[in-house]
Amino acid sequence: MSGERPAVRQAGRLAGRLVALGVTGSIAAYKAVELLRLLTAEGADVVVLLSPSATRFVGPLSFAALSRHPVETEVMDLLPDGRIGHIVIADSADAVVVAPATAHFLGAMANGMAGDVITAACLATSAPVVVAPAMDGDMWTHPATQANVARLRDAFGYSIVAPASGPLASGQSGVGRLAELPAIVDAIVAAVAASPVRQPDPAARPPLAAATPREADLTGRHVVVTAGGTREPIDPVRFIGNRSTGRMGVAIAEAALDRGAAVTIVAADVSVPLPEDRARVARVETTAELRDVLLDALFEGAAPAGEARFDALVMAAAVADFTPTHPSARKLTRGEDLTLELQPTPDLLAEVARLCRGLDAEGAAAHPPVRPAPVLVGFAAETGSLDRAAAKLRAKRVDLLVANDVTEAGSGFGTDTNRVMILDAAGGRDELPLLSKREVADRLLDRVAAALDERDTAAQTARMQEAQR
Ligand code: CTP
Protein backbone atom coordinates (compact mmCIF):
# COMPACT_ATOMS: atom_id res chain seq x y z
CA MET A 1 0.00 0.00 0.00
CA SER A 2 1.26 3.46 -0.84
CA GLY A 3 1.19 6.29 1.67
CA GLU A 4 -0.42 9.72 1.40
CA ARG A 5 0.37 11.42 -1.88
CA PRO A 6 -0.14 15.05 -2.67
CA ALA A 7 -2.69 14.66 -5.46
CA VAL A 8 -5.34 12.13 -6.41
CA ARG A 9 -4.51 10.19 -9.57
CA GLN A 10 -4.98 12.09 -12.78
CA ALA A 11 -6.31 10.14 -15.72
CA GLY A 12 -2.77 9.43 -17.04
CA ARG A 13 -1.43 10.18 -20.50
CA LEU A 14 -1.91 6.56 -21.59
CA ALA A 15 -5.26 5.90 -19.89
CA GLY A 16 -7.17 3.16 -21.68
CA ARG A 17 -4.26 2.40 -24.05
CA LEU A 18 -2.79 -1.05 -24.63
CA VAL A 19 1.00 -0.86 -24.93
CA ALA A 20 2.95 -3.92 -26.09
CA LEU A 21 6.39 -3.89 -24.48
CA GLY A 22 8.96 -5.97 -26.36
CA VAL A 23 12.13 -6.76 -24.43
CA THR A 24 15.17 -8.15 -26.25
CA GLY A 25 18.35 -9.69 -24.85
CA SER A 26 20.43 -6.76 -23.62
CA ILE A 27 21.94 -6.27 -20.19
CA ALA A 28 19.50 -3.32 -19.91
CA ALA A 29 16.55 -5.77 -19.99
CA TYR A 30 16.10 -5.37 -16.24
CA LYS A 31 15.21 -1.70 -16.82
CA ALA A 32 12.13 -2.83 -18.74
CA VAL A 33 10.52 -3.82 -15.41
CA GLU A 34 10.70 -0.17 -14.30
CA LEU A 35 9.50 0.98 -17.73
CA LEU A 36 6.48 -1.30 -17.33
CA ARG A 37 5.77 0.34 -13.96
CA LEU A 38 6.00 3.85 -15.46
CA LEU A 39 3.65 2.91 -18.30
CA THR A 40 1.15 1.44 -15.83
CA ALA A 41 1.39 4.64 -13.74
CA GLU A 42 0.40 6.55 -16.89
CA GLY A 43 -2.74 4.43 -17.08
CA ALA A 44 -1.62 1.98 -19.78
CA ASP A 45 -2.63 -1.65 -19.92
CA VAL A 46 0.72 -3.29 -20.75
CA VAL A 47 1.40 -6.69 -22.28
CA VAL A 48 4.97 -7.96 -22.46
CA LEU A 49 6.77 -9.92 -25.18
CA LEU A 50 10.19 -11.39 -24.45
CA SER A 51 12.70 -12.56 -27.05
CA PRO A 52 14.33 -15.91 -26.21
CA SER A 53 17.59 -14.18 -25.20
CA ALA A 54 15.74 -11.63 -23.02
CA THR A 55 14.45 -14.50 -20.88
CA ARG A 56 18.08 -15.17 -19.92
CA PHE A 57 18.29 -11.70 -18.33
CA VAL A 58 14.81 -11.37 -16.81
CA GLY A 59 12.24 -14.07 -16.16
CA PRO A 60 8.66 -13.76 -17.43
CA LEU A 61 7.27 -14.05 -13.87
CA SER A 62 7.97 -10.48 -12.74
CA PHE A 63 6.53 -9.10 -15.98
CA ALA A 64 3.43 -11.30 -15.69
CA ALA A 65 2.87 -10.27 -12.07
CA LEU A 66 3.20 -6.56 -12.86
CA SER A 67 1.33 -6.52 -16.17
CA ARG A 68 -1.37 -9.04 -15.14
CA HIS A 69 -1.17 -10.53 -18.63
CA PRO A 70 0.58 -13.79 -19.52
CA VAL A 71 3.96 -12.96 -21.12
CA GLU A 72 4.48 -13.92 -24.78
CA THR A 73 7.76 -15.73 -25.35
CA GLU A 74 7.15 -18.34 -28.06
CA VAL A 75 6.12 -17.39 -31.57
CA MET A 76 4.36 -20.74 -32.10
CA ASP A 77 2.43 -20.74 -28.80
CA LEU A 78 -1.34 -20.28 -28.85
CA LEU A 79 -3.45 -18.59 -26.18
CA PRO A 80 -5.68 -20.93 -24.12
CA ASP A 81 -8.64 -19.90 -26.33
CA GLY A 82 -6.77 -20.87 -29.53
CA ARG A 83 -5.91 -17.32 -30.67
CA ILE A 84 -2.34 -16.55 -31.76
CA GLY A 85 -0.87 -14.41 -28.97
CA HIS A 86 1.41 -12.09 -30.92
CA ILE A 87 -1.28 -11.48 -33.57
CA VAL A 88 -3.86 -10.55 -30.90
CA ILE A 89 -1.29 -8.11 -29.53
CA ALA A 90 -0.44 -6.75 -32.98
CA ASP A 91 -4.12 -6.19 -33.75
CA SER A 92 -5.12 -4.58 -30.44
CA ALA A 93 -2.07 -2.61 -29.20
CA ASP A 94 -2.10 1.18 -29.47
CA ALA A 95 1.69 1.13 -29.67
CA VAL A 96 4.53 -1.38 -29.66
CA VAL A 97 7.68 -0.32 -27.82
CA VAL A 98 10.88 -2.33 -28.05
CA ALA A 99 13.11 -1.43 -25.11
CA PRO A 100 15.88 -2.37 -24.91
CA ALA A 101 16.35 -3.18 -28.60
CA THR A 102 19.54 -5.10 -29.44
CA ALA A 103 21.61 -4.77 -32.61
CA HIS A 104 20.25 -8.17 -33.59
CA PHE A 105 16.66 -6.97 -33.28
CA LEU A 106 17.41 -3.90 -35.42
CA GLY A 107 18.98 -6.09 -38.11
CA ALA A 108 16.23 -8.69 -38.12
CA MET A 109 13.50 -6.05 -38.15
CA ALA A 110 15.12 -3.96 -40.89
CA ASN A 111 15.01 -7.10 -43.05
CA GLY A 112 11.51 -8.19 -42.08
CA MET A 113 12.68 -11.41 -40.44
CA ALA A 114 9.99 -12.44 -37.98
CA GLY A 115 11.81 -15.15 -36.03
CA ASP A 116 10.56 -14.26 -32.54
CA VAL A 117 7.41 -12.85 -30.92
CA ILE A 118 8.64 -9.25 -30.99
CA THR A 119 9.67 -9.04 -34.64
CA ALA A 120 6.53 -11.01 -35.55
CA ALA A 121 4.29 -8.56 -33.64
CA CYS A 122 6.05 -5.54 -35.18
CA LEU A 123 5.63 -6.99 -38.66
CA ALA A 124 1.96 -7.78 -38.08
CA THR A 125 0.88 -4.51 -36.51
CA SER A 126 -0.38 -1.25 -37.97
CA ALA A 127 0.23 0.50 -34.61
CA PRO A 128 3.13 2.94 -34.17
CA VAL A 129 6.41 1.31 -33.12
CA VAL A 130 8.88 2.96 -30.75
CA VAL A 131 12.39 1.52 -30.57
CA ALA A 132 14.93 2.27 -27.83
CA PRO A 133 18.25 0.62 -28.73
CA ALA A 134 20.86 -0.37 -26.13
CA MET A 135 24.20 -1.98 -26.93
CA ASP A 136 27.97 -1.65 -26.86
CA GLY A 137 29.28 1.67 -28.27
CA ASP A 138 31.10 0.10 -31.24
CA MET A 139 28.08 -1.97 -32.14
CA TRP A 140 25.94 1.19 -32.14
CA THR A 141 28.28 3.13 -34.41
CA HIS A 142 28.82 0.20 -36.81
CA PRO A 143 27.54 1.10 -40.31
CA ALA A 144 25.30 -1.98 -40.35
CA THR A 145 23.50 -0.86 -37.16
CA GLN A 146 23.25 2.72 -38.37
CA ALA A 147 21.83 1.57 -41.72
CA ASN A 148 19.29 -0.65 -39.96
CA VAL A 149 18.21 2.21 -37.66
CA ALA A 150 17.89 4.57 -40.63
CA ARG A 151 15.68 2.02 -42.44
CA LEU A 152 13.43 1.52 -39.40
CA ARG A 153 13.09 5.29 -38.98
CA ASP A 154 12.84 6.45 -42.60
CA ALA A 155 11.25 3.53 -44.43
CA PHE A 156 9.07 2.06 -41.65
CA GLY A 157 8.24 5.29 -39.78
CA TYR A 158 9.38 3.91 -36.40
CA SER A 159 10.27 6.41 -33.64
CA ILE A 160 13.82 5.84 -32.48
CA VAL A 161 14.70 6.90 -28.94
CA ALA A 162 18.46 7.21 -29.38
CA PRO A 163 20.74 5.64 -26.78
CA ALA A 164 22.55 7.89 -24.34
CA SER A 165 26.21 8.27 -23.56
CA GLY A 166 27.71 6.87 -20.36
CA PRO A 167 29.32 3.79 -18.81
CA LEU A 168 28.48 0.56 -20.69
CA ALA A 169 28.33 -3.10 -19.63
CA SER A 170 31.77 -3.68 -21.18
CA GLY A 171 33.30 -1.31 -18.64
CA GLN A 172 33.99 1.23 -21.38
CA SER A 173 32.22 4.51 -21.79
CA GLY A 174 30.39 5.58 -24.95
CA VAL A 175 27.06 5.93 -26.67
CA GLY A 176 24.88 2.84 -26.23
CA ARG A 177 23.12 3.10 -22.86
CA LEU A 178 19.35 2.70 -22.99
CA ALA A 179 17.75 6.17 -23.09
CA GLU A 180 16.27 7.53 -19.84
CA LEU A 181 12.95 5.79 -19.21
CA PRO A 182 10.80 8.98 -19.04
CA ALA A 183 12.06 9.86 -22.55
CA ILE A 184 10.82 6.46 -23.79
CA VAL A 185 7.44 7.02 -22.11
CA ASP A 186 7.22 10.49 -23.72
CA ALA A 187 7.94 8.96 -27.15
CA ILE A 188 5.08 6.45 -26.68
CA VAL A 189 2.70 9.21 -25.56
CA ALA A 190 3.63 11.24 -28.65
CA ALA A 191 3.25 8.21 -30.94
CA VAL A 192 -0.33 7.49 -29.88
CA ALA A 193 -1.49 11.08 -29.29
CA ALA A 194 -3.23 11.54 -32.62
CA SER A 195 -5.28 8.32 -32.64
CA PRO A 196 -8.25 7.16 -30.54
CA VAL A 197 -7.94 4.06 -28.32
CA ARG A 198 -7.62 1.26 -30.84
CA GLN A 199 -9.35 -1.64 -29.13
CA PRO A 200 -11.27 -0.63 -25.97
CA ASP A 201 -13.03 -4.03 -25.76
CA PRO A 202 -11.01 -6.14 -23.27
CA ALA A 203 -12.29 -9.32 -24.97
CA ALA A 204 -10.37 -8.38 -28.13
CA ARG A 205 -7.19 -7.67 -26.16
CA PRO A 206 -4.73 -10.26 -24.80
CA PRO A 207 -6.26 -12.23 -21.90
CA LEU A 208 -5.66 -11.39 -18.27
CA ALA A 209 -3.56 -13.77 -16.18
CA ALA A 210 -5.61 -16.10 -14.00
CA ALA A 211 -6.25 -14.69 -10.54
CA THR A 212 -3.89 -15.89 -7.84
CA PRO A 213 -5.76 -18.30 -5.54
CA ARG A 214 -6.07 -17.03 -1.96
CA GLU A 215 -6.14 -19.04 1.23
CA ALA A 216 -9.27 -19.43 3.32
CA ASP A 217 -8.48 -16.25 5.25
CA LEU A 218 -12.13 -15.25 5.75
CA THR A 219 -13.22 -18.47 7.45
CA GLY A 220 -15.58 -17.69 10.32
CA ARG A 221 -16.30 -14.17 9.00
CA HIS A 222 -19.73 -12.91 7.95
CA VAL A 223 -19.46 -10.65 4.91
CA VAL A 224 -22.49 -8.71 3.66
CA VAL A 225 -22.36 -7.51 0.05
CA THR A 226 -24.88 -5.31 -1.76
CA ALA A 227 -24.94 -5.60 -5.54
CA GLY A 228 -26.77 -4.26 -8.59
CA GLY A 229 -28.81 -1.13 -9.20
CA THR A 230 -31.92 0.01 -7.35
CA ARG A 231 -35.08 0.95 -9.26
CA GLU A 232 -37.34 3.77 -8.15
CA PRO A 233 -40.94 3.50 -9.42
CA ILE A 234 -42.51 6.32 -11.42
CA ASP A 235 -45.72 4.34 -11.96
CA PRO A 236 -46.51 0.57 -11.98
CA VAL A 237 -44.62 0.02 -15.27
CA ARG A 238 -41.84 2.62 -15.27
CA PHE A 239 -38.89 3.26 -13.03
CA ILE A 240 -35.70 5.29 -12.69
CA GLY A 241 -32.79 2.87 -12.82
CA ASN A 242 -29.07 2.83 -13.59
CA ARG A 243 -26.55 0.88 -15.63
CA SER A 244 -25.22 -1.35 -12.83
CA THR A 245 -25.18 -5.06 -13.72
CA GLY A 246 -24.08 -6.35 -10.31
CA ARG A 247 -20.90 -7.94 -11.75
CA MET A 248 -18.53 -6.27 -9.27
CA GLY A 249 -20.68 -7.09 -6.22
CA VAL A 250 -21.17 -10.69 -7.30
CA ALA A 251 -17.42 -11.08 -7.94
CA ILE A 252 -16.81 -9.88 -4.36
CA ALA A 253 -19.42 -12.26 -2.94
CA GLU A 254 -17.93 -15.21 -4.86
CA ALA A 255 -14.38 -14.34 -3.84
CA ALA A 256 -15.46 -14.05 -0.18
CA LEU A 257 -17.21 -17.45 -0.39
CA ASP A 258 -14.11 -19.04 -1.93
CA ARG A 259 -12.08 -17.63 0.97
CA GLY A 260 -14.30 -19.31 3.53
CA ALA A 261 -16.66 -16.46 4.54
CA ALA A 262 -20.37 -16.81 5.24
CA VAL A 263 -21.88 -14.36 2.76
CA THR A 264 -25.17 -12.47 2.60
CA ILE A 265 -25.94 -10.81 -0.72
CA VAL A 266 -28.54 -8.07 -0.84
CA ALA A 267 -29.23 -7.91 -4.55
CA ALA A 268 -31.02 -5.06 -6.30
CA ASP A 269 -31.44 -5.38 -10.08
CA VAL A 270 -28.64 -7.67 -11.35
CA SER A 271 -28.05 -9.19 -14.78
CA VAL A 272 -25.57 -11.86 -13.73
CA PRO A 273 -26.31 -15.14 -11.90
CA LEU A 274 -26.00 -15.11 -8.10
CA PRO A 275 -24.31 -17.91 -6.11
CA GLU A 276 -27.68 -18.78 -4.49
CA ASP A 277 -26.53 -22.28 -3.48
CA ARG A 278 -23.66 -20.95 -1.40
CA ALA A 279 -24.79 -17.55 -0.09
CA ARG A 280 -27.82 -16.14 1.70
CA VAL A 281 -29.53 -14.02 -0.93
CA ALA A 282 -32.17 -11.32 -0.42
CA ARG A 283 -33.64 -9.54 -3.42
CA VAL A 284 -34.80 -5.95 -3.33
CA GLU A 285 -35.98 -3.39 -5.84
CA THR A 286 -36.06 0.10 -4.39
CA THR A 287 -33.66 2.04 -2.20
CA ALA A 288 -36.24 1.96 0.61
CA GLU A 289 -36.39 -1.87 0.41
CA LEU A 290 -32.62 -2.07 0.25
CA ARG A 291 -32.43 0.01 3.43
CA ASP A 292 -34.89 -2.22 5.32
CA VAL A 293 -33.32 -5.51 4.21
CA LEU A 294 -29.79 -4.28 4.74
CA LEU A 295 -30.43 -2.99 8.26
CA ASP A 296 -32.15 -6.27 9.05
CA ALA A 297 -29.22 -8.32 7.65
CA LEU A 298 -26.70 -6.25 9.58
CA PHE A 299 -28.49 -5.76 12.87
CA GLU A 300 -31.30 -8.37 12.73
CA GLY A 301 -33.87 -5.86 13.84
CA ALA A 302 -32.07 -5.38 17.16
CA ALA A 303 -30.69 -2.09 18.39
CA PRO A 304 -27.33 -1.75 16.69
CA ALA A 305 -25.45 -1.14 19.94
CA GLY A 306 -23.64 -4.16 21.26
CA GLU A 307 -22.24 -7.19 19.53
CA ALA A 308 -21.72 -7.09 15.75
CA ARG A 309 -23.52 -9.69 13.66
CA PHE A 310 -21.34 -9.12 10.64
CA ASP A 311 -17.63 -8.58 10.08
CA ALA A 312 -17.62 -6.60 6.86
CA LEU A 313 -20.06 -4.73 4.65
CA VAL A 314 -19.14 -4.14 1.02
CA MET A 315 -21.57 -1.64 -0.46
CA ALA A 316 -21.11 -2.33 -4.15
CA ALA A 317 -24.75 -1.58 -5.08
CA ALA A 318 -25.48 1.44 -7.27
CA VAL A 319 -28.05 3.09 -5.06
CA ALA A 320 -30.38 5.66 -6.64
CA ASP A 321 -29.69 9.13 -5.31
CA PHE A 322 -33.22 10.36 -6.08
CA THR A 323 -36.66 8.80 -5.98
CA PRO A 324 -40.00 10.11 -7.31
CA THR A 325 -41.76 11.94 -4.47
CA HIS A 326 -45.25 10.82 -5.55
CA PRO A 327 -45.07 7.60 -7.60
CA SER A 328 -48.36 7.13 -9.43
CA ALA A 329 -50.53 4.13 -8.45
CA ARG A 330 -51.91 4.03 -12.03
CA LYS A 331 -50.01 3.93 -15.30
CA LEU A 332 -49.32 7.47 -16.52
CA THR A 333 -50.73 8.09 -19.96
CA ARG A 334 -49.13 9.99 -22.81
CA GLY A 335 -50.65 13.24 -23.93
CA GLU A 336 -49.61 15.87 -21.48
CA ASP A 337 -46.25 17.19 -20.35
CA LEU A 338 -44.90 15.35 -17.34
CA THR A 339 -42.79 16.88 -14.61
CA LEU A 340 -41.39 14.42 -12.11
CA GLU A 341 -40.78 15.63 -8.60
CA LEU A 342 -37.81 13.83 -7.08
CA GLN A 343 -36.51 13.72 -3.56
CA PRO A 344 -33.07 12.56 -2.39
CA THR A 345 -32.77 9.07 -0.93
CA PRO A 346 -31.06 8.54 2.44
CA ASP A 347 -27.35 7.69 2.23
CA LEU A 348 -27.52 4.07 3.41
CA LEU A 349 -23.79 3.53 3.79
CA ALA A 350 -23.36 6.70 5.85
CA GLU A 351 -26.30 5.61 8.01
CA VAL A 352 -24.85 2.12 8.62
CA ALA A 353 -21.47 3.67 9.45
CA ARG A 354 -23.09 6.05 11.97
CA LEU A 355 -25.00 3.19 13.59
CA CYS A 356 -21.87 1.03 13.82
CA ARG A 357 -19.86 3.86 15.33
CA GLY A 358 -22.58 4.82 17.82
CA LEU A 359 -23.28 8.27 16.34
CA ASP A 360 -26.55 10.14 15.79
CA ALA A 361 -27.53 11.91 12.56
CA GLU A 362 -25.45 14.94 13.55
CA GLY A 363 -22.39 12.80 14.22
CA ALA A 364 -22.56 13.12 18.03
CA ALA A 365 -21.97 10.06 20.23
CA ALA A 366 -25.40 8.57 20.95
CA HIS A 367 -24.84 4.97 22.04
CA PRO A 368 -21.94 2.53 22.43
CA PRO A 369 -20.38 1.55 19.11
CA VAL A 370 -20.90 -1.92 17.67
CA ARG A 371 -18.12 -4.29 18.78
CA PRO A 372 -16.01 -5.78 17.32
CA ALA A 373 -15.97 -2.94 14.79
CA PRO A 374 -16.98 -4.21 11.35
CA VAL A 375 -14.97 -3.17 8.29
CA LEU A 376 -17.08 -0.89 6.08
CA VAL A 377 -16.31 -0.61 2.36
CA GLY A 378 -17.91 1.87 -0.05
CA PHE A 379 -17.67 2.29 -3.79
CA ALA A 380 -17.51 5.55 -5.70
CA ALA A 381 -18.33 5.54 -9.39
CA GLU A 382 -16.93 8.80 -10.69
CA THR A 383 -16.76 10.34 -14.13
CA GLY A 384 -13.51 11.94 -15.25
CA SER A 385 -11.61 12.46 -12.01
CA LEU A 386 -11.29 10.71 -8.68
CA ASP A 387 -10.76 13.97 -6.78
CA ARG A 388 -13.97 13.63 -4.75
CA ALA A 389 -13.20 10.11 -3.54
CA ALA A 390 -11.20 11.05 -0.42
CA ALA A 391 -13.93 13.46 0.72
CA LYS A 392 -16.56 10.73 0.17
CA LEU A 393 -14.58 8.28 2.32
CA ARG A 394 -14.51 10.80 5.17
CA ALA A 395 -18.11 11.95 4.77
CA LYS A 396 -19.41 8.37 4.83
CA ARG A 397 -17.00 7.36 7.66
CA VAL A 398 -15.99 4.14 5.90
CA ASP A 399 -12.73 2.22 6.31
CA LEU A 400 -12.09 1.62 2.61
CA LEU A 401 -13.43 3.26 -0.54
CA VAL A 402 -13.05 1.71 -3.98
CA ALA A 403 -13.10 4.50 -6.57
CA ASN A 404 -13.22 4.11 -10.31
CA ASP A 405 -13.75 6.30 -13.34
CA VAL A 406 -16.68 4.67 -15.14
CA THR A 407 -15.92 6.59 -18.34
CA GLU A 408 -12.48 4.94 -18.68
CA ALA A 409 -12.19 2.14 -21.26
CA GLY A 410 -12.45 -1.29 -19.60
CA SER A 411 -13.83 0.16 -16.33
CA GLY A 412 -17.33 0.57 -15.03
CA PHE A 413 -20.67 -0.97 -15.91
CA GLY A 414 -21.12 -4.15 -17.93
CA THR A 415 -17.40 -4.91 -18.35
CA ASP A 416 -15.46 -7.87 -16.94
CA THR A 417 -12.57 -5.64 -15.97
CA ASN A 418 -12.10 -2.64 -13.72
CA ARG A 419 -9.35 -0.21 -12.89
CA VAL A 420 -9.76 1.11 -9.38
CA MET A 421 -8.03 3.00 -6.62
CA ILE A 422 -8.55 1.78 -3.06
CA LEU A 423 -8.47 4.58 -0.49
CA ASP A 424 -8.25 3.94 3.24
CA ALA A 425 -9.19 5.98 6.29
CA ALA A 426 -5.51 6.57 7.14
CA GLY A 427 -5.05 8.48 3.87
CA GLY A 428 -3.41 5.63 1.91
CA ARG A 429 -4.17 5.19 -1.77
CA ASP A 430 -3.55 2.02 -3.70
CA GLU A 431 -3.83 2.39 -7.46
CA LEU A 432 -4.48 -0.96 -9.10
CA PRO A 433 -3.87 -1.67 -12.79
CA LEU A 434 -6.66 -2.81 -15.12
CA LEU A 435 -7.71 -6.18 -13.65
CA SER A 436 -10.51 -8.67 -13.97
CA LYS A 437 -13.36 -7.84 -11.56
CA ARG A 438 -12.58 -11.09 -9.73
CA GLU A 439 -8.98 -10.00 -9.19
CA VAL A 440 -10.17 -6.54 -8.01
CA ALA A 441 -12.48 -8.39 -5.60
CA ASP A 442 -9.59 -10.46 -4.25
CA ARG A 443 -7.30 -7.45 -3.89
CA LEU A 444 -10.05 -5.68 -1.94
CA LEU A 445 -10.66 -8.74 0.24
CA ASP A 446 -6.90 -8.94 0.93
CA ARG A 447 -7.33 -5.55 2.59
CA VAL A 448 -10.54 -6.55 4.38
CA ALA A 449 -9.03 -9.80 5.71
CA ALA A 450 -5.91 -7.95 6.91
CA ALA A 451 -8.02 -5.23 8.62
CA LEU A 452 -10.10 -7.89 10.41
CA ASP A 453 -6.99 -9.74 11.58
CA GLU A 454 -5.50 -6.45 12.82
CA ARG A 455 -8.74 -5.63 14.63
CA ASP A 456 -8.81 -9.00 16.38
CA THR A 457 -5.13 -8.86 17.33
CA ALA A 458 -5.61 -5.38 18.84
CA ALA A 459 -8.66 -6.59 20.81
CA GLN A 460 -6.77 -9.65 22.04
CA THR A 461 -3.81 -7.51 23.16
CA ALA A 462 -6.18 -5.11 24.97
CA ARG A 463 -7.84 -8.06 26.77
CA MET A 464 -4.48 -9.44 27.88
CA GLN A 465 -3.35 -6.04 29.16
CA GLU A 466 -6.66 -5.69 31.03
CA ALA A 467 -6.22 -9.15 32.61
CA GLN A 468 -2.69 -8.30 33.77
CA ARG A 469 -3.82 -5.14 35.55
N1 CTP B 1 -24.70 4.84 -1.41
C1 CTP B 1 -25.63 4.59 -0.40
N2 CTP B 1 -26.83 5.23 -0.41
C2 CTP B 1 -27.14 6.12 -1.35
C3 CTP B 1 -26.20 6.41 -2.38
C4 CTP B 1 -24.98 5.75 -2.37
O1 CTP B 1 -25.36 3.77 0.47
N3 CTP B 1 -28.31 6.72 -1.32
C5 CTP B 1 -23.41 4.14 -1.38
C6 CTP B 1 -23.06 3.37 -2.64
O2 CTP B 1 -23.48 2.04 -2.54
C7 CTP B 1 -21.54 3.47 -2.68
C8 CTP B 1 -21.24 4.79 -2.02
O3 CTP B 1 -22.42 5.11 -1.24
O4 CTP B 1 -20.92 2.47 -1.93
C9 CTP B 1 -20.94 5.93 -2.94
O5 CTP B 1 -21.95 6.09 -3.88
P1 CTP B 1 -21.90 7.30 -4.92
O6 CTP B 1 -23.13 7.27 -5.74
O7 CTP B 1 -20.57 7.32 -5.61
O8 CTP B 1 -21.88 8.53 -3.93
P2 CTP B 1 -23.00 9.50 -3.47
O9 CTP B 1 -22.97 9.54 -1.98
O10 CTP B 1 -24.30 9.16 -4.10
O11 CTP B 1 -22.43 10.88 -4.00
P3 CTP B 1 -22.64 11.61 -5.42
O12 CTP B 1 -23.94 11.18 -5.97
O13 CTP B 1 -22.58 13.04 -5.04
O14 CTP B 1 -21.48 11.19 -6.27
Side-chain angles (χ1 to χ4, degrees):
M1 192 194 74
S2 51
E4 179 79 74
R5 289 186 213 152
V8 177
R9 180 188 77 200
Q10 300 302 308
R13 293 180 297 164
L14 294 169
R17 303 280 184 181
L18 174 66
V19 175
L21 170 58
V23 183
T24 64
S26 148
I27 187 86
Y30 73 94
K31 294 184 183 171
V33 177
E34 178 62 10
L35 178 58
L36 163 52
R37 215 189 51 73
L38 292 179
L39 293 171
T40 308
E42 288 284 359
D45 178 17
V46 182
V47 61
V48 177
L49 308 109
L50 295 183
S51 73
S53 55
T55 59
R56 299 174 64 180
F57 290 100
V58 270
L61 270 183
S62 20
F63 287 116
L66 286 168
S67 71
R68 302 267 145 199
H69 288 287
V71 171
E72 284 292 318
T73 53
E74 294 297 328
V75 79
M76 302 302 280
D77 276 2
L78 297 179
L79 295 173
D81 59 11
R83 295 183 297 167
I84 303 169
H86 62 272
I87 298 295
V88 172
I89 293 172
D91 288 347
S92 56
D94 290 280
V96 180
V97 52
V98 186
T102 57
H104 180 267
F105 166 82
L106 300 174
M109 203 57 233
N111 291 287
M113 292 170 66
D116 61 52
V117 280
I118 303 171
T119 43
C122 288
L123 213 56
T125 195
S126 57
V129 178
V130 174
V131 176
M135 65 198 71
D136 168 70
D138 292 328
M139 289 171 82
W140 173 246
T141 49
H142 194 285
T145 306
Q146 289 302 309
N148 291 332
V149 170
R151 184 161 161 78
L152 297 187
R153 186 183 51 229
D154 303 335
F156 298 4
Y158 289 7
S159 315
I160 310 292
V161 189
S165 155
L168 302 170
S170 59
Q172 299 167 354
S173 203
V175 177
R177 283 170 64 85
L178 182 69
E180 292 300 322
L181 300 181
I184 302 176
V185 175
D186 289 346
I188 299 165
V189 171
V192 301
S195 1
V197 171
R198 198 161 161 225
Q199 189 49 271
D201 179 5
R205 290 184 173 193
L208 292 164
T212 337
R214 263 57 173 197
E215 32 176 331
D217 54 4
L218 290 172
T219 305
R221 308 291 194 193
H222 179 202
V223 177
V224 179
V225 182
T226 66
T230 59
R231 292 175 163 188
E232 308 301 316
I234 296 170
D235 68 15
V237 294
R238 304 180 182 94
F239 58 82
I240 299 176
N242 60 64
R243 292 183 193 282
S244 171
T245 59
R247 270 194 178 78
M248 192 64 242
V250 171
I252 293 164
E254 283 176 341
L257 287 163
D258 291 347
R259 294 165 80 144
V263 173
T264 301
I265 305 175
V266 185
D269 181 54
V270 291
S271 48
V272 289
L274 299 175
E276 311 222 24
D277 49 337
R278 299 199 292 154
R280 215 181 109 202
V281 175
R283 297 206 181 239
V284 299
E285 190 172 332
T286 63
T287 301
E289 281 168 25
L290 175 57
R291 179 175 179 278
D292 290 349
V293 172
L294 180 63
L295 294 183
D296 196 44
L298 299 180
F299 306 118
E300 288 177 20
E307 205 181 322
R309 294 177 162 88
F310 69 106
D311 294 287
L313 166 66
V314 184
M315 196 79 186
V319 185
D321 286 326
F322 296 95
T323 188
T325 312
H326 307 290
S328 168
R330 284 181 299 113
K331 185 184 168 192
L332 298 171
T333 51
R334 183 147 48 104
E336 286 184 32
D337 286 353
L338 175 66
T339 305
L340 277 181
E341 193 188 324
L342 302 177
Q343 62 183 17
T345 55
D347 186 331
L348 309 187
L349 185 55
E351 182 177 354
V352 168
R354 274 199 313 273
L355 290 171
C356 287
R357 307 197 192 297
L359 306 175
D360 65 17
E362 273 68 52
H367 54 80
V370 166
R371 286 285 175 252
V375 174
L376 304 178
V377 184
F379 271 72
E382 303 290 337
T383 48
S385 145
L386 302 183
D387 289 351
R388 297 168 64 229
K392 254 185 207 182
L393 174 132
R394 282 192 300 274
K396 290 175 191 274
R397 294 189 176 89
V398 290
D399 301 289
L400 297 171
L401 189 86
V402 185
N404 69 336
D405 176 356
V406 289
T407 59
E408 205 180 284
S411 274
F413 305 118
T415 65
D416 284 324
T417 53
N418 212 351
R419 194 164 104 85
V420 306
M421 175 159 72
I422 301 179
L423 296 91
D424 62 44
R429 289 166 184 176
D430 195 3
E431 286 177 37
L432 303 185
L434 187 76
L435 298 172
S436 66
K437 285 191 171 165
R438 171 57 191 249
E439 185 61 19
V440 171
D442 269 314
R443 299 280 193 106
L444 174 63
L445 292 178
D446 288 346
R447 303 282 302 257
V448 172
L452 289 171
D453 286 350
E454 239 168 74
R455 172 195 83 173
D456 291 354
T457 310
Q460 178 73 17
T461 312
R463 272 199 298 276
M464 280 166 57
Q465 284 170 345
E466 185 66 24
Q468 281 165 1
R469 251 190 234 143

